[in-house]
Each structure stands twice: as structure tokens, then as C-alpha cells.
Amino acid sequence: MKPKNKNYNIVLHGGAGALAPHLYTPQEIKEYKETLEEAMKVGTSLLEKGGSSLQAVIESVVVLENSPLFNAGRGSVFSSDETIEMDASVSCGERVQTGGVTNVTRLKNPVLGAYHVFENSNHALLSGMAADFFCKKAGLEHQNESYFKTEKRLAQLYQAKEKNIVQLDHSDKMGTVGAVAIDGKGNLASATSTGGMTNRYPGRVSDTSIQGAGTYAENGLIAISGTGTGDVFIQNVFAYDMAAMMKYADIPMPEAAQRVLEKLRDKNGSGGLVAIDKFGYAIFPFNTRGMFRAWLDEDGVIQTGIFE
Ligand code: ASP
């Protein structure tokens, strides 16, 4: 999918999973769609004004992190010790460079922390309290525990503990968030943010913060943001695997995505991704029953979807 008369494109996801219409009230569906639309509006208006793809994906993800509906920033899921640990990354196709934070606990917008690491550190990824502190020193907003903690998420944790499982958020109703974009200069970028998986071991690192696993961008090739069973994404370097299929074997983007998603299923994982190639074509495939998503249609009009 690509808007006809635009020199940019952007597509978002809010997590993939066992999403079925009967699980939602009409009001809930409306709220999800409105929030996705708001995030798209922020991203597209930046791109329309000549802003960079990196700016656009970051600002779109901020909108989703600020909403308690999604598993990122506010509304993040709980680790087994009842703490909130959040991961995020940005990936810049122009520099083929990433910045990320993992297991931050107080940063209001982990994606802004990821950008700060990208722009102002010598490192790819900072973790834990040191990452929180690095961002705090730069004046990035912090919040106390009660901002992130929601009763709904606590109930999910107790259910997961009872069943003794580590649960993907999209087994429920909400998910990790991500965006990919191409701007008027042909620069590709992605940004992804997550609260991880319910009942995960404290300190576990997700694919969301790892370049080549759940996120990747390279100019002249592709920008990718994934969602799903993160440990399988990491073990199989999925985002880079998809990019490499295109780069070294000339496999078309939709087929490369299909292959990655098949492999994900073979390894007992599930999920989806959003991607844009160097020509500005966007795809948003998933191997689950649904994925929160938003894209621009051929006329440049914002569209949203949840179910298959
Ligand atoms: N990939 C995320 C993780 O493993 C979860 C998700 O996409 O919902 O933490």
C-alpha cells in the first residue's frame, strides 16, 4: 500500500494477537481506532511539513505510549515481581544506527529515551536504572510507579501466575507499539516500544530494544517494526533476516515477511510486523487473528484495522 500523490509513507502497529470482535465493546473498538488515528495524524502531519521519518515515527509512538490502551509506556504489563519494565528502540536508516533502552522503570516515554541514547551516547543500548538516570539527567520526564500501574494489568499478572505462563500481551487485548516511515528524502526509520510480556522474569530483555531482532532500518532497503514472541524474534534475528533476504537474495518484501512469519510459527511463536521498502510501499502482515494497525490508503487517507 502506498499513497499515490505523496512522497512519504507511514504505518503503525499496536500489537498483534488473538484479537476477535466479540472480545471488545463498540466503545473499546472506537477508542483503539481513535488513538491509532491520532498517532497517525501526528506522524503524517510531520512528514507533510517536511519532517524526518525518524521524527515522525518517534512522535507517533509517543501518542501510543501515553495511552493506557497499549502495552507500552502507560499501560505496560507486569513482570513476575510486580514491577513494570519497559523497552524501546529507534532505528535510523540513514545512519543504519540504533539507540535503545531496556528495563527502564520510570521514564514516561521510553521511545524518547531510546532517541536520546541514539543521539547523545556512544552506545546502542542502555539498561535499567542507569538508563533511567541517563535520561533523567537530560530532563526527560519521569513518572512514579502509580502512573504506569493499572489494575487490569495486575489482574493479568495474577492470571498468568496461576497458569504458570509467560504471556504475550496480545493473548489479551493490548500490545506493543511500533511505527515505520519513509520521508521525502527517502530516509527510512522505525521506532518500537513495549512493556514486554506478562509474568516475564525480571530483567528479561525484549526484541523491541534490539536492532535486527524486532526492529531494523536501512536506507535503500527497508524499515521494520515487529510485535510478537520476542524471545523467538531475538533467537532468529527476524528483522535482519527479512532485510537480508531482500538485500542479498532479491526476495520481494511481502515474500520475505511471509517467510519470517512462517518461521516464527514453526518455532511456536506468533506475531506480526509493519514494514516500508525503499519505494515507499507499506505492508502489515501477521500470523495471529488480528493486529492493531493504521496506514495510509492510495488517496493518502488514514485507515485503521484490528481484526483479520
Ligand atoms: N515483542 C514483545 C516482547 O517480546 C511483545 C509484543 O510484541 O507484544 O516483549
Side-chain angles (χ1 to χ4, degrees):
M1 187 72 62
K2 184 185 174 187
K4 271 183 305 213
N5 300 320
K6 306 280 180 204
N7 62 357
Y8 61 79
N9 200 0
I10 179 166
V11 52
L12 313 178
H13 73 76
L19 314 174
H22 69 271
L23 297 172
Y24 300 88
T25 63
Q27 180 58 26
E28 282 175 324
I29 291 180
K30 188 168 164 274
E31 284 171 19
Y32 279 110
K33 290 194 156 193
E34 278 172 2
T35 311
L36 287 166
E37 209 169 306
E38 191 193 331
M40 274 298 268
K41 277 187 189 150
V42 168
T44 43
S45 80
L46 274 164
L47 290 164
E48 186 73 42
K49 285 185 220 144
S52 74
S53 52
L54 195 55
Q55 247 184 314
V57 291
I58 290 169
E59 293 307 326
S60 296
V61 165
V62 163
V63 173
L64 300 173
E65 283 181 340
N66 289 346
S67 161
L69 294 174
F70 298 95
N71 173 22
R74 192 173 200 187
S76 287
V77 299
F78 284 91
S79 299
S80 58
D81 61 353
E82 292 188 25
T83 57
I84 299 267
E85 297 170 303
M86 300 168 287
D87 295 5
S89 69
V90 300
S91 192
C92 165
E94 191 182 4
R95 295 196 219 161
V96 196
Q97 193 187 324
T98 184
V101 291
T102 179
N103 290 317
V104 290
T105 58
R106 292 287 183 274
L107 191 55
K108 183 182 176 210
N109 291 110
V111 73
L112 297 180
Y115 179 68
H116 179 46
V117 171
F118 166 77
E119 208 56 279
N120 301 311
S121 82
N122 296 319
H123 306 295
L125 185 59
L126 292 184
S127 71
M129 274 168 61
D132 269 317
F133 186 60
F134 180 73
C135 298
K136 192 165 178 112
K137 272 195 306 184
L140 294 185
E141 190 176 340
H142 276 48
Q143 287 288 348
N144 58 28
E145 271 190 326
S146 59
Y147 170 84
F148 300 103
K149 289 188 172 181
T150 59
E151 287 306 315
K152 208 169 189 169
R153 295 309 199 183
L154 208 51
Q156 283 174 2
L157 172 66
Y158 296 147
Q159 277 164 18
K161 277 182 181 264
E162 252 176 60
K163 294 186 208 154
N164 199 20
I165 51 168
V166 177
Q167 183 168 283
L168 260 187
D169 185 44
H170 32 72
S171 322
D172 228 297
K173 293 182 178 176
M174 307 155 216
T176 290
V177 306
V180 296
I182 187 165
D183 59 31
K185 294 184 177 149
N187 289 321
L188 287 156
S190 68
T192 314
S193 182
T194 190
M197 292 170 75
T198 302
N199 201 25
R200 69 190 176 286
Y201 198 83
R204 175 255 187 188
V205 174
S206 76
D207 60 312
T208 301
S209 54
I210 298 183
Q211 172 91 326
T215 180
Y216 190 69
E218 181 174 331
N219 272 11
L221 190 63
I222 194 168
I224 306 170
S225 170
T227 172
T229 324
D231 300 280
V232 183
F233 274 73
I234 294 172
Q235 305 281 10
N236 296 276
V237 208
F238 273 146
Y240 190 71
D241 193 26
M242 183 174 157
M245 279 188 241
M246 295 169 63
K247 185 169 177 172
Y248 299 115
D250 268 335
I251 293 176
M253 178 169 67
E255 193 187 324
Q258 240 16 77
R259 286 199 194 183
V260 157
L261 292 180
E262 271 162 32
K263 197 161 162 189
L264 175 63
R265 178 169 286 149
D266 290 347
K267 306 253 173 183
N268 293 324
S270 63
L273 57 93
V274 293
I276 292 185
D277 69 8
K278 62 179 173 183
F279 304 111
Y281 282 98
I283 55 168
F284 30 88
F286 45 92
N287 67 14
T288 48
R289 290 182 65 190
M291 181 168 81
F292 295 103
R293 56 199 185 276
W295 67 97
L296 296 174
D297 69 14
E298 285 202 331
D299 299 317
V301 178
I302 294 171
Q303 302 293 339
T304 57
I306 301 177
F307 311 111
E308 275 167 308

Short mmCIF file of all heavy atoms in Angstrom, two decimals, residues 12 39 56-66 72 88 109 111 177-179 191-193:
data_model
loop_
_atom_site.label_atom_id
_atom_site.label_comp_id
_atom_site.label_asym_id
_atom_site.label_seq_id
_atom_site.Cartn_x
_atom_site.Cartn_y
_atom_site.Cartn_z
N LEU A 12 1.64 2.09 11.24
CA LEU A 12 1.80 1.83 12.69
C LEU A 12 1.22 0.49 13.07
O LEU A 12 0.29 0.01 12.43
CB LEU A 12 0.99 2.83 13.53
CG LEU A 12 0.99 4.31 13.28
CD1 LEU A 12 0.04 4.96 14.27
CD2 LEU A 12 2.39 4.83 13.46
N ALA A 39 -2.33 8.94 16.50
CA ALA A 39 -0.88 8.71 16.32
C ALA A 39 -0.49 8.90 14.86
O ALA A 39 0.55 9.48 14.54
CB ALA A 39 -0.52 7.31 16.81
N ALA A 56 8.93 11.47 12.78
CA ALA A 56 7.53 11.04 12.62
C ALA A 56 7.24 9.75 13.39
O ALA A 56 6.23 9.65 14.08
CB ALA A 56 7.21 10.84 11.13
N VAL A 57 8.15 8.77 13.29
CA VAL A 57 7.87 7.51 13.99
C VAL A 57 7.95 7.70 15.50
O VAL A 57 7.15 7.13 16.26
CB VAL A 57 8.79 6.33 13.52
CG1 VAL A 57 8.45 5.92 12.11
CG2 VAL A 57 10.28 6.65 13.67
N ILE A 58 8.89 8.53 15.94
CA ILE A 58 9.04 8.75 17.39
C ILE A 58 7.78 9.44 17.94
O ILE A 58 7.18 8.99 18.93
CB ILE A 58 10.30 9.59 17.70
CG1 ILE A 58 11.55 8.75 17.43
CG2 ILE A 58 10.29 10.10 19.14
CD1 ILE A 58 12.86 9.54 17.44
N GLU A 59 7.35 10.50 17.29
CA GLU A 59 6.19 11.24 17.81
C GLU A 59 4.90 10.41 17.75
O GLU A 59 4.03 10.53 18.61
CB GLU A 59 6.02 12.57 17.08
CG GLU A 59 7.14 13.57 17.35
CD GLU A 59 7.39 13.84 18.84
OE1 GLU A 59 6.44 13.82 19.62
OE2 GLU A 59 8.57 14.05 19.20
N SER A 60 4.78 9.56 16.74
CA SER A 60 3.60 8.68 16.68
C SER A 60 3.62 7.69 17.83
O SER A 60 2.58 7.42 18.46
CB SER A 60 3.59 7.88 15.36
OG SER A 60 3.44 8.75 14.28
N VAL A 61 4.80 7.14 18.11
CA VAL A 61 4.90 6.17 19.20
C VAL A 61 4.65 6.83 20.56
O VAL A 61 4.04 6.23 21.45
CB VAL A 61 6.27 5.43 19.14
CG1 VAL A 61 6.57 4.69 20.44
CG2 VAL A 61 6.28 4.44 17.97
N VAL A 62 5.05 8.10 20.71
CA VAL A 62 4.77 8.82 21.97
C VAL A 62 3.26 8.83 22.24
O VAL A 62 2.81 8.58 23.37
CB VAL A 62 5.33 10.26 21.91
CG1 VAL A 62 4.72 11.15 22.99
CG2 VAL A 62 6.85 10.25 22.05
N VAL A 63 2.46 9.08 21.20
CA VAL A 63 0.99 9.10 21.38
C VAL A 63 0.51 7.74 21.91
O VAL A 63 -0.31 7.66 22.84
CB VAL A 63 0.27 9.42 20.05
CG1 VAL A 63 -1.24 9.27 20.19
CG2 VAL A 63 0.64 10.83 19.57
N LEU A 64 1.05 6.67 21.35
CA LEU A 64 0.60 5.33 21.76
C LEU A 64 1.12 4.98 23.17
O LEU A 64 0.43 4.32 23.94
CB LEU A 64 1.06 4.28 20.73
CG LEU A 64 0.51 4.51 19.32
CD1 LEU A 64 1.14 3.54 18.31
CD2 LEU A 64 -1.02 4.39 19.28
N GLU A 65 2.34 5.44 23.49
CA GLU A 65 2.88 5.20 24.84
C GLU A 65 2.06 5.95 25.90
O GLU A 65 1.93 5.48 27.03
CB GLU A 65 4.33 5.70 24.93
CG GLU A 65 5.36 4.79 24.28
CD GLU A 65 6.78 5.33 24.43
OE1 GLU A 65 6.94 6.54 24.67
OE2 GLU A 65 7.72 4.54 24.28
N ASN A 66 1.52 7.10 25.54
CA ASN A 66 0.76 7.89 26.52
C ASN A 66 -0.64 7.34 26.76
O ASN A 66 -1.32 7.75 27.70
CB ASN A 66 0.65 9.34 26.06
CG ASN A 66 1.98 10.06 26.17
OD1 ASN A 66 2.90 9.57 26.82
ND2 ASN A 66 2.10 11.22 25.52
N ALA A 72 2.76 -0.33 26.31
CA ALA A 72 3.98 0.47 26.12
C ALA A 72 3.80 1.74 26.93
O ALA A 72 2.70 2.30 26.94
CB ALA A 72 4.15 0.83 24.65
N ALA A 88 12.45 0.11 24.57
CA ALA A 88 12.13 0.82 23.32
C ALA A 88 13.40 1.00 22.50
O ALA A 88 14.51 0.96 23.03
CB ALA A 88 11.52 2.19 23.61
N ASN A 109 8.26 8.24 28.58
CA ASN A 109 8.24 7.83 27.17
C ASN A 109 9.55 7.14 26.81
O ASN A 109 10.52 7.79 26.38
CB ASN A 109 8.02 9.04 26.27
CG ASN A 109 6.63 9.60 26.42
OD1 ASN A 109 6.44 10.68 26.96
ND2 ASN A 109 5.63 8.85 25.98
N VAL A 111 10.47 5.66 24.28
CA VAL A 111 10.96 5.92 22.92
C VAL A 111 11.81 7.20 22.86
O VAL A 111 12.76 7.29 22.08
CB VAL A 111 9.79 5.95 21.89
CG1 VAL A 111 8.96 7.22 22.01
CG2 VAL A 111 10.31 5.77 20.47
N VAL A 177 3.83 -1.38 20.68
CA VAL A 177 3.53 -0.41 19.62
C VAL A 177 4.76 -0.16 18.76
O VAL A 177 5.90 -0.30 19.24
CB VAL A 177 3.01 0.93 20.19
CG1 VAL A 177 1.82 0.69 21.11
CG2 VAL A 177 4.10 1.68 20.94
N GLY A 178 4.53 0.20 17.49
CA GLY A 178 5.66 0.49 16.61
C GLY A 178 5.22 1.26 15.39
O GLY A 178 4.04 1.28 15.03
N ALA A 179 6.20 1.91 14.77
CA ALA A 179 5.91 2.69 13.56
C ALA A 179 7.10 2.62 12.62
O ALA A 179 8.25 2.55 13.08
CB ALA A 179 5.64 4.15 13.93
N ALA A 191 10.51 2.89 14.92
CA ALA A 191 10.53 3.05 16.38
C ALA A 191 9.56 2.04 16.98
O ALA A 191 8.47 1.82 16.43
CB ALA A 191 10.11 4.46 16.77
N THR A 192 9.97 1.41 18.07
CA THR A 192 9.15 0.36 18.68
C THR A 192 9.24 0.51 20.20
O THR A 192 10.29 0.90 20.72
CB THR A 192 9.66 -1.04 18.24
OG1 THR A 192 9.90 -1.02 16.83
CG2 THR A 192 8.66 -2.13 18.54
N SER A 193 8.15 0.20 20.91
CA SER A 193 8.15 0.36 22.36
C SER A 193 7.24 -0.68 23.00
O SER A 193 6.17 -0.99 22.46
CB SER A 193 7.64 1.78 22.69
OG SER A 193 7.65 2.00 24.08
#
